[in-house]
Amino acid sequence: MQDFGAAFGQAFALIAGFDPALMEIISLSMRVTFSAVLIACLIGLPLGAVLAVGRFPGRGALVVLVSALMGLPPVVVGLAVYLMLSAAGPLGVLQLLYTPTAMIIAQAILVTPIIASLTRQVVEDMHGEYDELLRSMGTSRVSTVATLLWDARYSLLTAALAGLGRALAEVGAVMIVGGNINHVTRVMTTAIALETSKGALALALGLGIILVGLSILVNAGLMGLRKSAERLAYA
Amino acid sequence: MPETITRNSHLSVIESGIAPPAITLQDVVFERQGKALVDGLNLTLTANGTTVLMGPNGAGKSLTLRLMAGLIAPGQGKIRWNGVETVPSQRVALVFQKPVLLRRSVRANLTHALKTYGVPRSAQPQRLEELLKMGNLTELADRPARVLSGGEQQRVAMVRALAARPKLLLLDEPTASLDPQATAAIESLIRTAAAGGAKVLLVTHDPGQGQRLADEIVFLNHGRVTEVTGASQFFDAPRSREARTYLSGHLLF
């Protein structure tokens, strides 16, 4: 139990002192995670909506596939991205391995199925309600997807949150493609793994507390937004 | 049942020969799970005036409306809109019993409709103000549409339909869950639409509403047209036994 006490002390000291190394790790974590979730949203939201609205051959199989990919093991994604980006891989010329960009790519791949799948469920429900209206208005397919995504925007925050949680907590993929290089690719989760393996449990726990705190903050902010939207019947 | 069509020839709109049939249903059958819910329906709607579709529950009134809106396709038979088999969706508008409003403000709901109906951007603000005024919604323009009362929501749905400047306005029991005052507001909008040259087709269970709005009555039973009669004659002396029974308050089987 003394580890917990020491951990809180250490975490507090690090935060209060605006420890530059810590700030660097936090800011890289945030940058990688938010970039990955943003990219995943740009792909996953339209993909999910098209899966909800579209009627095309292979749709059922695609729905199952996207849903199954929600459970992708991060280390496997890390390995796949590693193989793509390594010097001998097809994208080796880009020299992205062990850069934050590689970490963003890996996390975006992990998070996109989550956002696409949750989007499909949300949009499918809303489409059930809007379908006759939109068709009676002669709405085009593209415009239908856009209308549904816009009207579901607050409900879709939940999908983005799920993706954010996954990306923020993930360690396997960023460890493999980022390499946990100090000042370059070290993020919260890889730092925690490293400090733990070095036996610096208090520091690791301190970083963990900060990570959980950040996660709660982001979630609370977005949830608050959603609640106020619901109160106004926008969601 | 072609005689059904000729039977309504007493209607002045047809006698004048000016108005061509706007919409024709020919031997239309619509089945669900092997049961013919619309069963060989023949109907020609004239281009003007208000036609009220009456009949007991399960007669196929709502399905007929959805067939006319092109939302569902007939299993057999043909539907023609001005002679062609493609629904001119931008000039056909539909209002449901339970208004389906977007999760946006009243103003944004109407703007969305104007955009969808292809109204040029430059003309949108003026049309928007007209619609708000027509629906007595100016005060409510910036409120989220889905927190309004049932009557207010249906007014939004009505003027949204009118944003299409529809040639054909299809109304599926739009006042069934409204109080008399809200009903009067909707009926006034229906009259405005009809006066503006829209063909109105209204499904209702309220004979009083039929009397107030109808130029002609189409009575449906078991997925077929039982009679098409001018409104005044229908309520005084309906021709079919089914309609007489329905109006006298007896149950139809």
Side-chain angles (χ1 to χ4, degrees):
Chain A
M1 280 315 288
Q2 70 212 42
D3 274 347
F4 275 98
F8 277 107
Q10 198 144 10
F12 185 76
L14 285 171
I15 298 168
F18 284 101
D19 181 76
L22 177 71
M23 292 302 143
E24 195 184 354
I25 292 174
I26 291 178
S27 102
L28 183 64
S29 280
M30 291 292 132
R31 189 154 67 86
V32 167
T33 297
F34 278 95
S35 305
V37 171
L38 183 69
I39 293 167
C41 282
L42 289 175
I43 301 167
L45 291 175
L47 176 63
V50 166
L51 286 177
V53 172
R55 293 286 171 267
F56 48 87
R59 176 189 166 272
L62 207 54
V63 167
V64 172
L65 180 69
V66 170
S67 193
L69 291 180
M70 285 175 83
L72 266 180
V75 283
V76 175
V77 171
L79 179 61
V81 174
Y82 180 92
L83 291 172
M84 296 291 283
L85 297 181
S86 65
L91 300 176
V93 286
L94 299 176
Q95 297 199 309
L96 289 174
L97 202 59
Y98 304 131
T99 65
T101 308
M103 298 155 78
I104 292 170
I105 292 170
Q107 290 206 332
I109 292 172
L110 268 177
V111 171
T112 300
I114 295 173
I115 291 181
S117 200
L118 296 176
T119 299
R120 183 190 60 77
Q121 286 166 26
V122 168
V123 171
E124 214 163 65
D125 288 348
M126 190 174 280
H127 187 230
E129 187 192 344
Y130 282 13
D131 181 41
E132 280 203 328
L133 170 75
L134 294 179
R135 285 201 293 130
S136 78
M137 293 172 84
T139 317
S140 70
R141 274 287 158 84
V142 174
S143 176
T144 298
V145 165
T147 301
L148 288 167
L149 280 177
W150 180 252
D151 273 37
R153 62 199 180 279
Y154 292 109
S155 307
L156 291 174
L157 279 178
T158 312
L161 271 183
L164 203 62
R166 168 85 154 172
L168 207 54
E170 185 279 320
V171 59
V174 288
M175 183 73 97
I176 293 178
V177 303
N180 193 23
I181 303 166
N182 205 3
H183 303 305
V184 183
T185 57
R186 182 160 300 166
V187 290
M188 307 278 298
T189 53
T190 56
I192 291 170
L194 178 72
E195 297 305 334
T196 305
S197 69
K198 288 198 316 201
L201 298 184
L203 180 56
L205 214 48
L207 286 167
I209 289 164
I210 295 168
L211 183 59
V212 171
L214 282 173
S215 183
I216 290 172
L217 266 182
V218 172
N219 271 271
L222 291 179
M223 281 296 177
L225 191 61
R226 164 139 201 221
K227 281 279 169 251
S228 58
E230 257 167 15
R231 209 171 38 246
L232 288 168
Y234 282 124
Chain B
M1 227 190 287
E3 65 275 11
T4 314
I5 300 163
T6 48
R7 251 198 260 151
N8 64 12
S9 60
H10 67 280
L11 285 173
S12 59
V13 276
I14 287 190
E15 275 173 354
S16 67
I18 301 164
I23 182 164
T24 312
L25 286 82
Q26 190 188 334
D27 300 319
V28 168
V29 175
F30 182 84
E31 293 181 344
R32 206 169 266 168
Q33 286 158 354
K35 195 170 182 293
L37 301 174
V38 173
D39 191 9
L41 191 127
N42 284 286
L43 180 64
T44 296
L45 283 185
T46 52
N48 293 303
T50 300
T51 299
V52 168
L53 216 52
M54 295 188 79
N57 284 330
K61 304 183 299 295
S62 290
L63 283 174
T64 303
L65 218 60
R66 277 164 175 73
L67 284 161
M68 288 188 184
L71 286 178
I72 50 177
Q76 294 168 44
K78 284 194 173 15
I79 305 176
R80 290 195 184 83
W81 293 267
N82 287 322
V84 293
E85 284 182 53
T86 328
V87 60
S89 60
Q90 303 230 314
R91 305 309 299 271
V92 177
L94 188 57
V95 175
F96 307 93
Q97 178 183 340
K98 184 178 176 302
V100 181
L101 299 179
L102 304 185
R103 288 159 173 78
R104 308 176 187 196
S105 68
V106 171
R107 187 188 303 278
N109 265 277
L110 298 179
T111 307
H112 174 269
L114 289 169
K115 260 186 218 160
T116 305
Y117 291 129
V119 175
R121 189 172 282 272
S122 58
Q124 282 175 14
Q126 200 203 333
R127 290 284 301 281
L128 177 65
E129 291 313 312
E130 284 170 17
L131 292 171
L132 287 171
K133 215 165 156 188
M134 195 190 284
N136 196 16
L137 293 163
T138 310
E139 305 279 298
L140 304 172
D142 294 310
R143 297 270 300 279
R146 294 163 80 98
V147 300
L148 303 179
S149 74
E152 290 163 346
Q153 289 199 29
Q154 196 59 291
R155 290 205 317 264
V156 177
M158 273 299 293
V159 295
R160 177 178 62 189
L162 299 183
R165 294 220 166 114
K167 287 280 174 213
L168 178 62
L169 180 59
L170 303 167
L171 306 168
D172 192 2
E173 302 190 49
T175 61
S177 39
L178 301 185
D179 67 19
Q181 198 187 349
T183 299
I186 297 299
E187 287 184 1
S188 149
L189 285 170
I190 295 173
R191 284 194 195 91
T192 308
K199 170 73 198 175
V200 176
L201 185 64
L202 168 72
V203 171
T204 183
H205 279 289
D206 176 3
Q209 185 167 59
Q211 273 175 315
R212 288 192 295 275
L213 295 174
D215 295 312
E216 64 173 353
I217 305 282
V218 173
F219 193 83
L220 290 189
N221 195 26
H222 293 309
R224 287 166 170 265
V225 174
T226 305
E227 70 172 279
V228 181
T229 316
S232 51
Q233 192 193 332
F234 180 84
F235 290 106
D236 288 344
R239 269 190 300 254
S240 64
R241 185 183 58 81
E242 290 90 340
R244 276 198 298 277
T245 318
Y246 178 80
L247 285 179
S248 67
H250 290 97
L251 294 174
L252 269 183
F253 291 104

